[in-house]
Amino acid sequence: QQAFAKEVVAFCDEHDDIEIFDVTRENMAQIVDTPERRAFMKEIGHKGWLGMTWPTEYGGQEGEGVYEYILNEELAGRGGPQIGKGVGIIGKTLIAHGSDFLKDKFLPMILENDVEFAVGYSEPNAGSDAASMRLKGVKHTTEDGREGWLLNGQKTWTTSAHFAEWYWCGVRTDPDNKHLGITLMLIPMDDPGITINGIWTMGDERTNEVWLDNVFVPDEYVVGEVNHGFRYISQALDLERFTMFTYAPIKQRLDLLTEYVRTAERDGAPLKDDPVVRTRMAKLHTDAEVARVMGLKFVAEAVKVEELVRQGKPFQPPTLQASEYKLFATELSR
């Protein structure tokens, strides 16, 4: 593991470019949104570092999740793009629940970083309560006899919509059942019925609202079973909390704060000698260590789950550990 960490550091040093690594960007926006970042991630794919934990039959190495953790934390600490959605959410969900058609189409592209995904869960009235999504999907047959779904509605906070090729989208297919009425679908972002409007954040990052107007999705692009999407989304969110919210940027900001306190003065007295400041700094460093270990605790549990996935056995993502880490780390980050 230490040898791999050194290899990742050396690789990143070789590609140290402001167009790839920018620590001033918000961590949640560390996405593959430029040609330079896309080319960099493609090189990571060629090194075999994307999908390291996947089964070998799908192009993976059946490696332990700690290697994915090491890679992602190093990328995050430098303000670089991260493995994120394709490998950690869409890929693992397709391996567990997708049809052979979807696996054959998307998994090779993910490993080569030849595709970018946007994730469509949030809606104006469905944020933290993802099961409240209303984007409506109705069974439909086209004039040429294709069976599928006709989609109408709105999504919001879709960060990657303006450059992604495919939409990983939750759709309300049964209005009478909140949790067992959602279906996951894959939709091409260039569909003429999709309209994307940018939303700019305080951190000068772009997210988006997405409108779907009579968008037709063939049955073969439905992920897993109809109306079972919320279960898949819940499992994927546990993975997302790990792959999309890293510890390294929190530690980076704490180090900057610590250096400031070490050298700054107030009213002619060193700030580091102020007992209130010292107490606060001690608490922050303690909480940072708690967050770090919570992340490792999640990794340890995820390794057990990945082994079950490889064996084709039923599995339950480490929901408790994922939620604990996400809540504690985001509060600490704020």
Side-chain angles (χ1 to χ4, degrees), residues 46-299:
H46 288 161
K47 291 186 73 66
W49 291 352
L50 297 180
M52 287 184 287
T53 62
W54 291 9
T56 53
E57 64 182 296
Y58 300 118
Q61 302 176 33
E62 300 192 4
E64 292 185 359
V66 66
Y67 291 96
E68 223 168 53
Y69 170 84
I70 291 168
L71 172 63
N72 220 36
E73 286 290 340
E74 178 59 31
L75 293 173
R78 292 171 178 251
Q82 295 157 36
I83 61 175
K85 297 184 291 290
V87 171
I89 301 172
I90 287 93
K92 290 181 179 179
T93 303
L94 289 179
I95 288 171
H97 305 292
S99 65
D100 289 340
F101 168 77
L102 292 178
K103 291 175 184 176
D104 291 343
K105 181 176 180 66
F106 288 103
L107 296 184
M109 288 196 294
I110 292 171
L111 290 179
E112 283 287 316
N113 201 62
D114 282 336
V115 60
E116 288 297 327
F117 296 94
V119 174
Y121 300 155
S122 296
E123 297 180 8
N125 295 303
S128 297
D129 183 11
S132 293
M133 63 179 67
R134 298 177 182 175
L135 173 68
K136 188 176 182 180
V138 178
K139 279 298 292 180
H140 182 75
T141 304
T142 63
E143 293 181 358
D144 59 359
R146 296 189 75 189
E147 296 288 335
W149 299 82
L150 203 61
L151 275 49
N152 284 279
Q154 179 189 5
K155 295 290 182 180
T156 193
W157 313 130
T158 305
T159 304
S160 305
H162 58 293
F163 63 86
E165 287 91 24
W166 285 87
Y167 208 14
W168 177 260
C169 193
V171 180
R172 171 64 59 189
T173 47
D174 182 351
D176 299 322
N177 195 321
K178 182 175 180 178
H179 292 90
L180 287 175
I182 295 171
T183 302
L184 264 179
M185 302 182 187
L186 277 157
I187 310 164
M189 292 299 300
D190 60 359
D191 187 287
I194 292 180
T195 302
I196 302 167
N197 298 320
I199 303 172
W200 291 91
T201 71
M202 291 171 63
D204 199 30
E205 297 290 350
R206 176 175 174 170
T207 184
N208 304 277
E209 62 176 11
V210 180
W211 294 87
L212 296 91
D213 182 19
N214 286 331
V215 173
F216 177 72
V217 180
D219 280 339
E220 56 263 36
Y221 286 93
V222 169
V223 179
E225 295 184 54
V226 172
N227 293 329
H228 282 65
F230 185 73
R231 178 163 63 92
Y232 307 149
I233 289 171
S234 297
Q235 293 174 348
L237 281 172
D238 287 331
L239 298 171
E240 179 185 30
R241 287 172 179 138
F242 165 57
T243 58
M244 297 294 286
F245 197 84
T246 45
Y247 169 74
I250 300 174
K251 181 62 163 61
Q252 190 177 65
R253 286 159 175 75
L254 181 57
D255 288 345
L256 285 172
L257 177 62
T258 304
E259 185 58 31
Y260 169 75
V261 170
R262 182 179 289 121
T263 57
E265 292 187 354
R266 184 172 59 197
D267 298 332
L271 203 58
K272 64 183 177 64
D273 292 339
D274 185 313
V276 175
V277 173
R278 293 181 67 84
T279 299
R280 181 63 175 154
M281 294 303 296
K283 178 70 162 58
L284 286 171
H285 277 271
T286 303
D287 286 349
E289 179 64 6
V290 171
R292 185 185 74 85
V293 175
M294 277 185 168
L296 291 173
K297 186 177 176 183
F298 177 93
V299 173

